[in-house]
Amino acid sequence: MPAQECSALWSKVLQVYDAAQASGAATKTDTQVTTCSDAGVTFVLRIAAALKAKPKGLSGSAAGPAAAPGSQPSSQQQQQQQQGPPPGFRNPFLPYEEALWVQHLSPSHTLLLNKFNVVPHHVLVVTRQFESQQDPLNAHDLAAAQQVLAAMPRGGVAFYNCGEHSGRSQPHKHLQIVPLPFDEEEQQQLGVAQPPVQQLINAAQAAAGAQPLQPFPVRQLPFRAYAVALDNSTTAEQLEAAASQLLSHCQAGLPAPVSYNVILTQELMLMLPRKQESCGRIAINSLGFAGTILLRSQEDLQFAQQQGPMSMLAEVGHPWSSEPAEAKM
Ligand code: AMP
């Protein structure tokens, strides 16, 4: 996307964000940030106590209070997972709230602000017609996300929570994008804005001798995860093909449907299959695998520090031992 269009898109995000915060259409929750190193990655932990009140689309608002993380789903929730949203469920993205709308990105996708944000300028790339959050990412989804990533001044992290155990709450297809860096202090130390897992993934790519767009396993992580390296010339069609290859690796040897998380930056796409939504009391979505975890209380923080963020991720991912020998790269 030409530089002028990038800066126009970013200006629009800033302008709509300021207006939405001022009117109360979107609410930013204050967070306390701390870092925690585990297995060679410095994780950014954010504690947002007020988020306890956030509605949960598939397991909450229409169906009563959200289940505590780690608890068994009710029979009502099991029914929703099998048959889709319950009667009375209101899709927040169709129609979306006008005050949260930034601009259309293409005939198929539009850009919204996240209504409940813990970092400024957290946006959602949403399909304009209903599509399911169970569907794989296609070139249209990825082209729309690429536009927004290119517009973020220091880059960003797009993520996709797909399937029952992925940490998603809304059934309407949406990628989310947060600007980098996750933490200013962490960025000052690194001298570069990148997700905390980037170096580990670079090392995995070097170990595998993988060229850009060639999938490789990230065996340095204590759970199954696969990646491709990207560059500025990567097209949306190439991204779709890469996403499809990574998904086949995630699905190998696991019962369908496989829940999974996707992380996309301008440098990499990372995908990993999910076994469960929560580690103990803490629900984890795609962003955890980029290196930042949202916590809701000081008790959560204590739990995360004791457990270690990487061990928490290992508990909600699938072990390498579940990878069939014939699928190994
Ligand atoms: P997920 O939980 O991964 O499915 O992502 C859904 C996102 O939509 C969450 O980050 C919510 O904060 C956000 N959200 C929920 N309701 C609305 C709304 N009415 N408008 C915009 N964003 C919303």
Side-chain angles (χ1 to χ4, degrees):
M1 196 163 69
Q4 224 176 355
E5 283 178 40
C6 286
S7 82
L9 175 54
W10 188 241
S11 300
K12 194 77 197 292
V13 170
L14 300 182
Q15 180 201 323
V16 178
Y17 179 83
D18 288 345
Q21 293 296 325
S23 71
T27 38
K28 156 114 173 44
T29 303
D30 288 335
T31 54
Q32 175 200 334
V33 178
T34 184
T35 55
C36 179
S37 294
D38 190 14
V41 174
T42 304
F43 287 85
V44 176
L45 305 179
R46 269 179 194 276
I47 305 104
L51 262 194
K52 280 175 184 167
K54 177 188 159 187
K56 292 268 282 172
L58 282 179
S59 52
S61 53
S71 65
Q72 291 298 313
S74 65
S75 58
Q76 189 179 26
Q77 286 166 345
Q78 282 169 345
Q79 194 188 354
Q80 286 165 28
Q81 282 155 10
Q82 284 154 16
Q83 298 171 2
F89 168 77
R90 200 192 81 73
N91 180 351
F93 305 147
L94 197 66
Y96 49 77
E97 286 180 39
E98 282 296 331
L100 301 174
W101 180 67
V102 179
Q103 70 177 52
H104 294 316
L105 297 167
S106 66
S108 55
H109 286 76
T110 201
L111 186 63
L112 306 180
L113 296 178
N114 188 333
K115 188 170 179 65
F116 309 100
N117 56 312
V118 296
V119 293
H121 315 127
H122 179 163
V123 289
L124 309 176
V125 171
V126 170
T127 57
R128 292 170 69 174
Q129 301 294 322
F130 182 83
E131 291 181 37
S132 168
Q133 188 73 2
Q134 305 275 56
D135 290 348
L137 292 171
N138 60 44
H140 299 295
D141 304 318
L142 294 159
Q146 277 184 308
Q147 284 182 55
V148 182
L149 287 172
M152 290 185 164
R154 289 185 283 173
V157 174
F159 57 103
Y160 186 58
N161 303 321
C162 184
E164 183 191 337
H165 305 300
S166 66
R168 64 96 175 87
S169 65
Q170 298 301 332
H172 181 131
K173 199 176 204 189
H174 60 285
L175 283 123
Q176 305 186 53
I177 310 190
V178 288
L180 281 168
F182 291 157
D183 175 37
E184 290 291 343
E185 271 180 38
E186 169 225 4
Q187 192 215 338
Q188 271 164 18
Q189 280 162 21
L190 284 172
V192 57
Q194 61 183 24
V197 293
Q198 179 77 51
Q199 284 179 357
L200 196 143
I201 290 167
N202 291 348
Q205 186 196 359
Q211 298 301 310
L213 289 173
Q214 188 185 346
F216 57 91
V218 189
R219 295 202 189 275
Q220 290 80 348
L221 289 169
F223 48 85
R224 280 173 69 174
Y226 307 90
V228 288
L230 311 171
D231 59 34
N232 288 343
S233 68
T234 306
T235 65
E237 288 70 27
Q238 287 172 319
L239 272 184
E240 180 186 84
S244 165
Q245 285 178 293
L246 294 177
L247 183 54
S248 301
H249 287 292
C250 288
Q251 290 168 329
L254 297 175
V258 170
S259 296
Y260 61 97
N261 291 129
V262 183
I263 294 293
L264 175 71
T265 68
Q266 289 180 297
E267 279 80 41
L268 70 92
M269 184 189 278
L270 174 72
M271 201 181 286
L272 54 116
R274 287 289 296 272
K275 187 172 67 189
Q276 61 196 52
E277 182 175 4
S278 302
C279 171
R281 53 188 292 132
I282 296 170
I284 291 179
N285 73 14
S286 297
L287 266 192
F289 298 90
T292 184
I293 298 179
L294 184 61
L295 306 170
R296 287 157 201 257
S297 63
Q298 292 299 326
E299 293 78 31
D300 281 5
L301 176 62
Q302 232 172 7
F303 177 90
Q305 286 170 331
Q306 274 164 8
Q307 191 94 5
M310 191 64 95
S311 311
M312 289 166 59
L313 300 183
E315 195 170 319
V316 299
H318 280 278
W320 286 103
S321 57
S322 68
E323 186 182 46
E326 67 277 11
K328 282 197 167 58
M329 283 184 263

